[in-house]
Amino acid sequence: KINIMDFMEKHFMQEMSLEEMALYTGRSLSAFKRDFSTFSALSPQKWLIQRRLRAAYDMLAAGAAARVSDACYSVGFKNISHFSRAFRDFYGTTPASLLRHA
């Protein structure tokens, strides 16, 4: 077994199912979810979304992304409308408005 949080931090931008993450960390899916709960009150899926959102925020705020879609896809989101909605819900502003202020 490898450390779940180390694995998640290193691979949060990659497209992987929870089942694949469990396998790579040497756990069954149920053991992965149980062990993950010792690190976070969030589910693994919610943690991934929030981690990706924080990475996108950092990219946009630093001017490291020229377009919203650049940030969206580089942090692991597959759908720009889902990304924009999740970003707005989490930060209270749109990624485009953050990009304009960077």
Side-chain angles (χ1 to χ4, degrees), residues 9 11 13 22 29 33 36 40 44 48 50 66 73 76-78 80 87 97 102:
E9 277 295 328
H11 302 283
M13 292 187 201
L29 180 58
K33 289 178 180 179
F36 187 87
S40 176
L48 271 176
Q50 288 187 11
Y73 299 126
F77 281 91
K78 293 178 255 174
I80 196 157
F87 192 96
S97 68

Side-chain angles (χ1 to χ4, degrees), residues 42-76:
L42 299 172
S43 70
Q45 191 63 38
K46 286 185 180 181
W47 183 92
L48 271 176
I49 290 170
Q50 288 187 11
R51 182 64 184 93
R52 288 173 175 172
L53 289 171
R54 287 194 309 273
Y57 182 97
D58 291 345
M59 287 178 73
L60 292 167
R67 298 177 306 192
V68 170
S69 60
D70 295 338
C72 168
Y73 299 126
S74 68
V75 300

